[in-house]
Amino acid sequence: MKRLITFFLSFLVVSGTLAQDIKFSIVDGIQNKAVKERMERGVSNLLNEINSACAQERPLRLDKMDMALSGKHSLQALWKNLHFMCEDNQIVERCLTSAEGFVIRNIYTKVNPMVSDYNDEPERALTVRLTKNGQIASVAMAASDAVYGRIMEQGLSVTDLERRTTILSFVENYRSFYDEKDLSSINRIFSDDAIIITATVPMQKSQSSDMQSWREQIKYKVQNKPQYLTSLASNFQRNKYIKVTFSDVEVVRHPANPNYYGVTLHQHWKSSTYEDDGYLLLVWEFRDGEDPIIHYRTWQPDRIGSHTITKEEIINIMDFNIPTLD
């Protein structure tokens, strides 16, 4: 209740400025004037609609927005749980380049949660991804500045920075695939020959003298892409909701093949029937002229009984046979 009252009081102050259009401008990072103007116009229109919908406490009207259909669906799903508004009428940001097109970061908003158990920050930044032609592809709540810094700080070249920007955009959109139970997006990012490995720790009862003891043993389940998607579809049907959050993001470029990256996330999974914590590894390949794809996905628990696994015990990209460049 206190959070809602605080939001309402701040909204009264901001609402007096909502009649003035938000103007979004790009300061640098793109040379094509026509694409730049399309991006500025599209983002400005979207932010104005977001503020209007927040002021009128109504659903977003995105039919006429210059935005991909999948991006509209994703934003509508986010809006059901989280309303937010931009307090600045003038927003000036630089444009980043990614493998898919462009990325705009640091559009700060004030959050009005629509669910009672919201416990994130009251102010969040938006990340807007756009196609190479300047159309809005998607909007997501950004990762923290600390996560962004860790991912980008080791960029060794312009190409490497672009790829890390692409990975960060995926990480920021990753949990929405599960919130929305979006199998098509998950299908699209995995290669047809992808291998999915899941570690489990079944509990087995054994006898020892006159007392019972519990023995833990890790078992690995290996699936191909069709098997994984079938299992995931069943999981989506079985659960009323699925919430995925992440922390401790680490990106490593393979030393022998710079087109491959390993992305490790500490993942918290919570659904209506199950909850766990563990480490997720995604092995990406970047291909010239094509979207990047994932060849390997692994998950392992972060604890085995009383033992918390160490960094050295986490599966990483060096555990796989990555093809070397000719």
Side-chain angles (χ1 to χ4, degrees), residues 170-171 174-175 178 189-190 195-199 228 244-251 262-269 276-284 294 296-302 309 314-317 320:
F170 166 79
V171 169
Y174 173 69
R175 64 181 180 180
Y178 293 89
I189 62 174
F190 281 94
I195 300 297
I196 292 85
I197 302 172
T198 304
Y228 173 64
V244 175
T245 57
F246 54 84
S247 59
D248 300 333
V249 184
E250 183 177 2
V251 178
V263 183
T264 303
L265 314 167
H266 184 266
Q267 176 183 279
H268 177 70
W269 171 290
D276 65 30
D277 287 277
Y279 287 99
L280 181 72
L281 171 70
L282 304 169
V283 177
W284 288 75
I294 296 171
Y296 299 100
R297 177 197 184 274
T298 71
W299 183 90
Q300 62 190 125
D302 60 4
I309 67 171
I314 300 173
I315 301 172
N316 63 69
I317 191 172
F320 296 93

Side-chain angles (χ1 to χ4, degrees), residues 97-100 103 105 129 143 147-148 151-152 159-174 246 249-253 258-265 282-286 292-294:
T97 303
S98 72
E100 294 94 348
V103 179
R105 294 182 56 82
R129 294 193 301 120
V147 169
Y148 177 77
I151 291 178
M152 302 302 289
T159 298
D160 189 35
L161 287 172
E162 289 180 1
R163 289 173 174 177
R164 288 172 183 268
T165 300
T166 299
I167 289 170
L168 181 63
S169 296
F170 166 79
V171 169
E172 290 172 336
N173 283 282
Y174 173 69
F246 54 84
V249 184
E250 183 177 2
V251 178
V252 175
R253 187 173 69 170
N259 293 326
Y260 280 76
Y261 289 73
V263 183
T264 303
L265 314 167
L282 304 169
V283 177
W284 288 75
E285 180 193 8
F286 284 82
I293 54 173
I294 296 171

Side-chain angles (χ1 to χ4, degrees), residues 208-220:
S208 176
S209 300
D210 296 330
M211 61 184 295
Q212 290 184 341
S213 64
W214 292 95
R215 181 167 59 87
E216 296 163 341
Q217 180 182 4
I218 296 179
K219 291 187 176 181
Y220 294 94

Side-chain angles (χ1 to χ4, degrees), residues 98-155:
S98 72
E100 294 94 348
F102 303 99
V103 179
I104 304 295
R105 294 182 56 82
N106 302 326
I107 299 178
Y108 286 93
T109 66
K110 186 173 290 292
V111 171
N112 179 21
M114 307 307 291
V115 292
S116 58
D117 58 349
Y118 179 82
N119 55 11
D120 284 343
E121 294 297 321
E123 294 184 351
R124 300 284 300 275
L126 297 180
T127 293
V128 181
R129 294 193 301 120
L130 304 103
T131 67
K132 294 177 181 179
N133 294 325
Q135 183 186 45
I136 297 173
S138 67
V139 177
M141 287 294 177
S144 69
D145 290 341
V147 169
Y148 177 77
R150 284 198 300 272
I151 291 178
M152 302 302 289
E153 66 185 2
Q154 295 181 338

Side-chain angles (χ1 to χ4, degrees), residues 30-49:
I30 183 171
Q31 302 299 321
N32 188 307
K33 183 178 179 181
V35 173
K36 176 176 177 290
E37 290 177 350
R38 181 181 182 182
M39 292 166 64
E40 291 175 332
R41 182 170 58 251
V43 174
S44 295
N45 290 339
L46 180 60
L47 295 179
N48 279 303
E49 169 56 20

